[in-house]
């Protein structure tokens, strides 16, 4: 992690220590940024006794949780730093006296100014993955947990984040051919569902909402692995495509059940098994976190491949950037 | 509410008073039952200072939140009372010393026996809507809030639940023709999205996952109104159908924005506006809760109509009841 980012996170930690108590952590953002924050909520929920929630920003603004107060910690995120709902939510939280931390790619953006503790992340090629949005979020979370749920494993996890760039490159090389083959086979499909659980649910969510629906105009829906058998699985048929992220974490059993069933009834099940990632060099306590980030890298490969096959650039929008809404 | 149900809920209240403190409320179920409980979590979140969460049961079992302990309150639900994941989750919660409340239609079911405080609800024709699953859930929640977030409005809300049967009949009569017309127009559509926010998100969720995908084999996906503009709205086109539940609660602005935009770009937007419901006889503090339940009644009308037009019975399953999974 770059010095600048490390210092910004250090500021958060110092403020948190001074604050002492946190009644609730609110993760607040929109769309893809909300999806990224979901992993933060997951880790808090499983690793600490501090309750935490994820909100889409405008619901947080218009229908504010009663427990939001000066004891709360609000973590928001917007890549551009100009998402109006997220700015409004951060301002509201700060007015209520909550501690506000905002992640953004743009220093000095309106979100940056709205939050008491802004944290920057890098973007683009030739930057370290540990300094991009997910690397920085996980770095922030592990540091917060050092204060709120002390455990020596957080230092190990922080160290392992430094391997992200190398591991990402390796994962991309590993999946490059499969991504192309999948894209060729699926390019005419009018709908592709995504499935995931636990820490990976956010990745499944953003794949459906942002990659497929927003950037490819392919119909989609996100299904939690634990919910698949309680409704959604009846849609399964030989020609219905699914993309399943199979966890190496505690929810693996849920994903396995989906795979075992769906394999029998659709010819179009793509399983992205985190067990196939090369994580030998990663400390055991960090594996599931690193894997969750790498799954996002792998999915992106598949999306870029299908975008190419369909001749549909990931940069095309028909509403966003084209009009006011 | 029938005497039997009132007494079961009274038992819960007495135990809760004796318990004193609740660190977190967990709403745990699968599919349609989980969707019903979402409204309970919503009310807790906005009306109390007790943190609350919704889990699909198997994630709760395999990846248990750290904060689950003897101070917790776990509310589970299964219509048949034999959903294995929900039974396992309830047993786990009880082993951890949490207070366990289970809603079920079947007295003596395995879920019934698993929970310390089982609460029955009625089902079928000729029973009062205030004694069905949602009436009982809301009745339970309002009673719990009398203990955990005392306010005289809970007694008002409890009283208003008694009007549910009459109001449901009225809503059905009001929407009967529109439901038939919509069903005739949409019956060939391969996908129908659902959109909602706030207390109505659970209804939008179960409409996508259970009504459309499970019981009609129509592709679907559930979109939060606040998320629509952050990805999903790019899928909108003149022939893409959406069903929007428009709230009379605090999130109405979010739904309104969706309506204003989608109206311009699709010919197939169905808006079910809770403002159109006849709620003159309902006390102001109860209106949004009664409306949330009535929206479910109205949606069911539309689903029954499309099932008829498609000749696809709501009782047909290709996997459930047909095999082990």
């Amino acid at each position: 992690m770059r010095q600048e980012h490390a210092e910004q996170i250090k500021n958060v930690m110092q403020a948190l220590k001074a604050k002492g108590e946190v009644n609730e952590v609110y993760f607040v953002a929109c769309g893809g940024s909300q999806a990224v924050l979901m992993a933060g909520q997951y880790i808090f929920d499983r690793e600490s006794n501090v309750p935490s929630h994820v909100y889409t920003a405008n619901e947080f603004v218009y229908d504010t949780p009663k427990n939001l107060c000066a004891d709360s910690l609000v973590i928001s995120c917007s890549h551009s730093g100009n998402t109006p709902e997220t700015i409004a939510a951060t301002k509201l939280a700060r007015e209520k006296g909550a501690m506000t931390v905002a992640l953004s790619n743009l220093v000095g953006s309106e979100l940056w100014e709205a939050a008491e503790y802004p944290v920057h992340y890098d973007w683009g090629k030739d930057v370290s993955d540990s300094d991009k949005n997910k690397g920085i979020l996980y770095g922030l979370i592990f540091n917060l947990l050092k204060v709120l749920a002390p455990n020596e494993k957080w230092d190990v996890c922080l160290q392992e984040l430094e391997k992200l760039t190398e591991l990402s490159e390796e994962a991309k090389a590993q999946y490059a051919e499969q991504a192309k083959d999948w894209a060729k086979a699926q390019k005419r499909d009018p709908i592709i569902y995504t499935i995931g659980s636990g820490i990976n649910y956010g990745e499944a969510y953003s794949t459906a909402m942002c990659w497929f629906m927003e950037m490819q105009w392919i119909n989609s829906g996100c299904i939690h692995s634990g919910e698949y058998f309680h409704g959604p699985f009846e849609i399964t048929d030989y020609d219905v495509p699914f993309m399943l992220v199979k966890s190496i974490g505690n929810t693996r059993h849920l994903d396995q059940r989906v795979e075992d069933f769906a394999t029998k009834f659709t010819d179009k099940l793509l399983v992205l098994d985190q067990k196939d990632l090369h994580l030998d060099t990663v400390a055991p306590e960090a594996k599931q976190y690193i894997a969750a980030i790498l799954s996002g890298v792998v999915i992106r490969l598949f999306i870029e491949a299908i975008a190419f096959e369909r001749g549909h650039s990931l940069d095309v929008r028909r509403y966003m950037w084209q009009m006011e809404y």
Side-chain angles (χ1 to χ4, degrees), chain A:
Chain A
M1 190 187 292
R2 291 205 287 119
Q3 189 61 22
E4 174 198 349
H5 300 158
E7 275 168 21
Q8 288 160 352
I9 290 177
K10 206 172 161 192
N11 288 341
V12 178
M13 284 177 74
Q14 279 171 347
L16 188 63
K17 280 178 194 161
K19 187 180 182 65
E21 197 170 318
V22 171
N23 75 330
E24 203 147 343
V25 182
Y26 296 102
F27 292 92
V28 182
C30 299
S33 291
Q34 189 201 185
V36 169
L37 296 185
M38 285 178 187
Q41 193 277 332
Y42 170 89
I43 302 172
F44 252 91
D45 187 58
R46 303 319 200 269
E47 295 285 358
S48 85
N49 294 111
V50 184
S52 59
H53 281 83
V54 181
Y55 288 84
T56 185
N58 235 12
E59 182 147 325
F60 189 82
V61 171
Y62 280 86
D63 207 6
T64 312
K66 194 174 180 193
N67 219 12
L68 175 68
C69 66
D71 291 337
S72 308
L73 167 60
V74 175
I75 300 174
S76 57
C77 179
S78 162
H79 185 74
S80 63
N82 70 7
T83 309
E85 300 95 319
T86 308
I87 296 164
T90 305
K91 286 182 177 171
L92 171 76
R94 199 165 173 182
E95 277 164 29
K96 295 252 183 193
M99 181 174 162
T100 48
V101 178
L103 306 180
S104 178
N105 180 236
L106 189 58
V107 173
S109 61
E110 204 176 337
L111 178 64
W112 187 273
E113 300 298 334
E116 199 174 0
Y117 300 98
V119 177
H120 179 261
Y121 61 78
D122 294 334
W123 198 245
K125 287 176 181 172
D126 306 321
V127 302
S128 162
D129 279 39
S130 61
D131 281 298
K132 289 186 189 166
N133 57 351
K134 291 173 194 170
I136 291 294
L137 173 73
Y138 280 69
L140 171 68
I141 297 296
F142 295 149
N143 272 302
L144 293 175
L145 289 173
K146 282 175 72 171
V147 180
L148 296 171
N151 188 314
E152 60 192 14
K153 74 177 167 184
W154 304 131
D155 278 322
V156 178
C157 289
L158 281 165
Q159 210 165 10
E160 298 306 79
L161 287 177
E162 297 305 318
K163 297 176 181 164
L164 273 175
T165 301
E166 195 189 324
L167 292 168
S168 295
E169 289 311 312
E170 204 176 334
K172 281 186 218 169
Q174 184 187 345
Y175 280 97
E177 281 311 305
Q178 193 192 349
K180 282 182 200 164
D181 293 345
W182 174 83
K184 278 178 187 142
Q186 308 299 140
K187 66 182 174 185
R188 306 240 191 273
D189 280 309
I191 186 161
I192 304 174
Y193 288 104
T194 67
I195 312 184
S197 64
I199 197 170
N200 305 304
Y201 184 76
E203 219 48 75
Y205 178 84
S206 63
T207 302
M209 302 286 164
C210 301
W211 289 127
F212 286 135
M213 294 172 76
E214 179 179 29
M215 301 192 200
Q216 283 299 293
W217 307 352
I218 293 174
N219 288 297
S220 190
C222 177
I223 303 165
H224 191 290
S225 307
E227 289 286 280
Y228 177 70
F229 293 101
H230 299 278
F233 81 144
E234 288 284 341
I235 204 75
T236 311
D237 209 337
Y238 70 93
D239 60 350
V240 179
F242 296 90
M243 177 189 279
L244 168 67
V245 179
K246 193 173 167 189
S247 176
I248 52 168
N250 292 337
T251 59
R252 184 173 180 83
H253 168 75
L254 281 65
D255 306 327
Q256 184 69 55
R257 271 191 78 199
V258 173
E259 182 182 5
D260 292 346
F261 182 89
T263 298
K264 286 187 247 172
F265 297 103
T266 173
D267 302 330
K268 297 187 174 181
L269 174 66
L270 170 66
V271 181
L272 300 175
D273 190 346
Q274 296 179 335
K275 223 175 193 171
D276 296 336
L277 296 166
H278 302 148
L279 301 173
D280 307 348
T281 61
V282 179
E285 48 271 67
K287 275 191 206 290
Q288 70 157 321
Y289 303 127
I290 298 293
I293 297 175
L294 293 180
S295 286
V297 172
V298 172
I299 288 170
R300 194 189 164 104
L301 262 193
F302 283 76
I303 300 297
E304 284 174 350
I306 205 168
F308 177 80
E309 290 296 333
R310 300 175 78 241
H312 184 119
S313 162
L314 293 169
D315 296 325
V316 171
R317 300 287 186 284
R318 45 184 159 186
Y319 307 122
M320 191 182 176
W321 307 322
Q322 312 293 339
M323 60 188 74
E324 294 281 320
Y325 49 84

